[in-house]
Amino acid sequence: MSQEAGASREAFAVPSPGVTGGAELARHHELTERGGVESSGLDVEPAGPGAGPRDPEPLPELPADRFLDRERSWLAFNERVLELAEDPETPLLERANFLSIFASNLDEFFMVRVAGLKRRIATDVATRTVTGQVPQQVLAQIWTMAREQMTRHAAAYQKTVAPQLAEEGIHLLRWPDLTEDEQTRLFSLFRKKIFPVLTPLAVDPAHPFPYISGLSLNLAVVVRNPATGHKHFARVKVPPLLSRFLEASPQRYVPVEDVIAAHLEELFRGMEVLAQHVFRVTRNEDLEVEEDDTENLLKALEKELLRRRFGPPVRLEVEESIDPEVLDLLVRELKIRREEVFAVPGPLDLTGLRSIAALDRPELKYPKFVAGTHRDLAEVESASAPDIFAALRERDVLLHHPYDSFSTSVQAFLEQAAADPDVLAIKQTLYRTSGDSPIVDALIDAADSGKQVLVLVEIKARFDEHANIKWARKLEEAGCHVVYGLVGLKTHCKLSLVVRQEGEELRRYSHVGTGNYHPKTARFYEDLGLLTADAEVGADLSDLFNRLSGYSRRDNYRRLLVAPRSLREGLLTRIGREVEHHRAGRPAWIRIKVNSIVDEAVIDALYRASQAGVPVDIWVRGICALRPGVPGLSDHIRVRSVLGRFLEHSRVYAFGGGGESEVWLGSADLMHRNLDRRMEALVRVTDPAHRSALVRLLTSGTADTSASWHLGQDGTWTRHAADAEGRPLPNVQELLIEARRKRRGTGD
């Protein structure tokens, strides 16, 4: 960390996590689960030495260059993923997995962000970014950064990960490296299972250049007719349903395209195969649906999904060894610019390394961790399964996934509601869920038993559109009331509401979360959720669901901040209050944990808070357009990023509140799309123990004594994984896992 940033923390008086280490995290979980009383004083923090009432001083104008470019910031995030793949301290198969994640992330970045930039340029609606650059300049920077990262990515695979896997008996080979017996075995596999599904497509005056589907692997093949001596070009698509790496013999794998390339003579009988080169095209796969002019959103989206298959290309990947004439042909026929051609050592498409990372070699992975049932749910006395409704009548339950089991908390909550004869109605939002979702099954069971079930399915959830359309129809067929949200807005909030008859009254049980109702990703996405029987939260969710399903225009809620109407304004108001608290000599601080922070209004408010002397800590996983540590602008702002075995996904907003902390959690990141174009919801956490636990979590994640990346004022991220003596710094995720294991081991 820079000296300037370090000096700016002198006024931020909190107990140092370096003193207590893992105990801080253990205390976080103890408070989260038991509802204990916090006594460390974290919620009442002095504003700093010499703080006291004083007249506000006029603040200087904010500089024009106060924002970082969001596209470069995203690429910097993916570079942090790449650093984990390059890190020798990362378990070997996890390094292979991070290589796969990096490749998949970059694919999506080109499909959406680069495609969007190109579309705006092509339609002549491109404007300067907040950094003052025109989109053409941003594109040029993207190509340069992406090219450098892809080169590093290929080198990490070829020079370190693959050789080290070989030392562990897992061999990732090319065709010439195989033994004769292995080649014979794969030839048999080719004839039986691969050859029948291959379709070579010739390119000549009678056969135009074929359409190349996005992200497919392809072979550009040059053959010669021995009778005429003429050369011909053909394309062979690698069938996408085939395994990316084929097992030649136990623990010895070869890319599927190598097997096809070795047997091209079988496809071009009577022709002489002169050359073959692997290539891959990335296309614009973002969706554009004009909702205001669409009578049936479901049908319009289905039509748009068909169109997406034929989006224009935005990137061409080729192996370094490609023949210049073949490359010229591909560039010409695909109508792609030379700057968009990326030549790297093979094999292409390392997203397929996920299958290698999934091999059953536990000694080459992170130590296994299985989430346990949250104690407040497990302790409820019942003749069979825990009675979640009884637990919530006793206290709110703050969940922290994946450390707390999703299946025995949120999933069990909905399954119990579906089976309970006293439950009258269930209302639910679904943004993403799994292919065999028990959540969907529970909702269908509830509808089958006569309960009123309302499900808001966001069919515009990017890259999950097909799946969500499928679930929407399945739910409708089961008798659920299915709606698709509001025109022009994606519904991204994570909400469940259960209405239950209890004696003469109706009681509402609620869940507000930061992550999707997706049982599979809940095992490796870090998320928070609040289960509660609080009447105000239940009333708020009733009002919000009425707005989502009907014509209610309510904007004011009791314990919710809801986008696009009140969320940004609510956060800005609370940031402003911290400035007032600081000037009055009361405890004041701001801590935020989000996936991305881009919104200029919020960033400017944080700059003003920093200028006033309010300490600000930001824990961000991905994009950050804020410049920390700039003298006179953001001296009191620190930005940290934590990456590890779990995907940090929760969103938390905490404020000093003049001595009585105020903490919110929910679905919203600080981006324009979240605050202006989505239905998002944050819930205020009122339990003092839960507030303290969340503040401790934020403190630990941003502490200098925790392993993380630190953002500099120039936009560069520096990894801090060791202390001054070279000892590894603890990772927040591992500390949380260890705290949970110790609790189970002692039965404490």
Side-chain angles (χ1 to χ4, degrees), residues 506-526:
L506 294 179
R507 189 188 295 266
R508 288 176 282 208
Y509 297 87
S510 309
H511 174 261
V512 181
T514 68
N516 299 306
Y517 293 95
H518 197 306
K520 291 183 179 178
T521 60
R523 298 171 192 163
F524 55 90
Y525 276 36
E526 179 273 341

Side-chain angles (χ1 to χ4, degrees), residues 450-577:
K451 296 175 173 58
Q452 180 175 325
V453 179
L454 171 71
V455 187
L456 194 142
V457 180
E458 182 47 78
I459 57 175
K460 303 185 297 297
R462 182 176 288 148
F463 302 125
D464 274 342
E465 299 93 349
H466 280 295
N468 286 6
I469 289 173
K470 174 184 175 183
W471 293 127
R473 289 200 164 123
K474 183 176 180 180
L475 290 161
E476 283 179 327
E477 291 168 0
C480 300
H481 301 293
V482 179
V483 294
Y484 306 116
L486 304 178
V487 171
L489 298 172
K490 280 187 181 181
T491 302
H492 189 250
C493 44
K494 324 297 183 184
L495 310 172
S496 295
L497 177 66
V498 172
V499 182
R500 190 171 188 265
Q501 184 76 49
E502 297 183 359
E504 296 298 318
E505 65 176 19
L506 294 179
R507 189 188 295 266
R508 288 176 282 208
Y509 297 87
S510 309
H511 174 261
V512 181
T514 68
N516 299 306
Y517 293 95
H518 197 306
K520 291 183 179 178
T521 60
R523 298 171 192 163
F524 55 90
Y525 276 36
E526 179 273 341
D527 273 302
L528 293 159
L530 182 68
L531 280 169
T532 180
D534 181 83
E536 288 190 336
V537 176
D540 278 348
L541 292 199
S542 291
D543 290 338
L544 182 50
F545 273 109
N546 287 340
R547 181 179 178 187
L548 293 172
S549 64
Y551 291 108
S552 172
R553 294 181 58 82
R554 184 183 183 108
D555 293 324
N556 297 318
Y557 298 88
R558 304 156 188 84
R559 277 183 58 185
L560 296 183
L561 292 176
V562 178
R565 297 293 179 87
S566 65
L567 206 156
R568 180 191 282 111
E569 178 183 350
L571 293 177
L572 293 177
T573 297
R574 284 154 181 81
I575 294 171
R577 286 178 188 166

Side-chain angles (χ1 to χ4, degrees), residues 160-358:
T160 58
V161 174
Q164 290 179 23
L165 284 172
E167 293 175 4
E168 298 292 340
I170 302 172
H171 299 270
L172 302 177
L173 309 167
R174 304 308 296 264
W175 182 261
D177 303 323
L178 300 177
T179 66
E180 185 175 340
D181 286 345
E182 289 172 333
Q183 291 182 351
T184 300
R185 190 177 303 115
L186 288 174
F187 174 66
S188 176
L189 175 69
F190 174 83
R191 293 299 302 271
K192 292 177 181 178
K193 295 187 177 181
I194 300 177
F195 178 81
V197 296
L198 295 178
T199 304
L201 296 175
V203 177
D204 57 32
H207 302 87
F209 191 84
Y211 173 77
I212 309 297
S213 52
L215 302 186
S216 63
L217 274 176
N218 302 270
L219 293 173
V221 184
V222 180
V223 299
R224 180 164 55 203
N225 186 329
T228 64
H230 292 160
K231 292 182 181 180
H232 301 278
F233 176 86
R235 173 261 192 155
V236 178
K237 179 179 178 178
V238 177
L241 296 181
L242 295 176
S243 298
R244 180 70 189 86
F245 290 92
L246 301 177
E247 192 170 25
S249 59
Q251 303 285 288
R252 288 170 63 84
Y253 302 88
V254 64
V256 62
E257 67 270 20
D258 279 21
V259 178
I260 296 173
H263 301 101
L264 288 173
E265 291 83 358
E266 301 292 320
L267 291 172
F268 300 97
R269 291 284 188 175
M271 302 292 282
E272 182 184 357
V273 178
L274 299 179
Q276 56 79 22
H277 305 283
V278 182
F279 70 97
R280 185 171 182 258
V281 175
T282 310
R283 293 185 176 275
N284 177 350
E285 297 205 17
D286 205 7
L287 291 176
E288 298 176 85
V289 178
E290 296 297 333
E291 298 178 54
D292 293 335
D293 301 324
T294 298
E295 294 183 4
N296 190 317
L297 179 59
L298 194 66
K299 291 182 178 179
L301 188 62
E302 288 179 312
K303 183 183 295 184
E304 181 66 10
L305 286 169
L306 289 174
R307 184 210 62 78
R308 182 167 73 177
R309 294 173 51 198
F310 301 96
V314 294
R315 179 179 59 163
L316 171 62
E317 295 173 86
V318 298
E319 290 192 320
E320 288 179 335
S321 58
I322 191 169
D323 182 272
E325 291 185 7
V326 174
L327 179 58
D328 288 342
L329 184 146
L330 292 174
V331 168
R332 182 173 66 252
E333 294 293 343
L334 291 169
K335 297 180 175 59
I336 200 165
R337 300 174 60 178
R338 285 286 179 173
E339 298 93 317
E340 298 167 311
V341 177
F342 294 81
V344 296
L348 304 182
D349 187 19
L350 292 181
T351 60
L353 284 174
R354 67 172 67 93
S355 64
I356 303 299

Side-chain angles (χ1 to χ4, degrees), residues 83-92 95 164:
E83 287 185 41
L84 289 176
E86 296 170 329
D87 185 356
E89 297 300 318
T90 303
L92 191 52
R95 296 176 68 183
Q164 290 179 23

Side-chain angles (χ1 to χ4, degrees), residues 157 168 195 274 370 380 407 434 447-448 467 541 543 553 598 639 659 705 708 746:
Y157 170 78
E168 298 292 340
F195 178 81
L274 299 179
V370 178
V380 176
S407 63
S434 59
D448 287 342
L541 292 199
D543 290 338
R553 294 181 58 82
V598 172
V639 179
T705 49
S708 64
T746 60

Side-chain angles (χ1 to χ4, degrees), residues 64-177:
D65 63 348
R66 63 190 183 276
F67 301 113
L68 298 170
D69 180 74
R70 62 163 292 167
E71 315 302 349
R72 295 181 66 184
S73 184
W74 187 95
L75 287 169
F77 152 68
N78 212 28
E79 185 173 11
R80 298 197 290 282
V81 176
L82 181 56
E83 287 185 41
L84 289 176
E86 296 170 329
D87 185 356
E89 297 300 318
T90 303
L92 191 52
L93 282 179
E94 304 293 351
R95 296 176 68 183
N97 191 46
F98 282 121
L99 287 175
S100 171
I101 293 170
F102 171 90
S104 179
N105 286 347
L106 198 60
D107 286 346
E108 183 172 337
F109 178 74
F110 272 88
M111 287 189 292
V112 178
R113 297 304 307 174
V114 175
L117 281 170
K118 290 191 65 178
R119 183 173 61 248
R120 290 196 293 275
I121 292 171
T123 55
D124 202 28
V125 295
T127 58
R128 291 184 179 272
T129 68
V130 293
T131 62
Q133 295 179 305
V134 296
Q136 290 87 341
Q137 291 175 302
V138 177
L139 268 181
Q141 293 171 351
I142 288 173
W143 289 326
T144 298
M145 291 182 67
R147 201 177 307 279
E148 293 173 353
Q149 290 182 7
M150 289 175 68
T151 300
R152 277 177 59 184
H153 180 247
Y157 170 78
Q158 290 205 332
K159 296 180 180 179
T160 58
V161 174
Q164 290 179 23
L165 284 172
E167 293 175 4
E168 298 292 340
I170 302 172
H171 299 270
L172 302 177
L173 309 167
R174 304 308 296 264
W175 182 261
D177 303 323

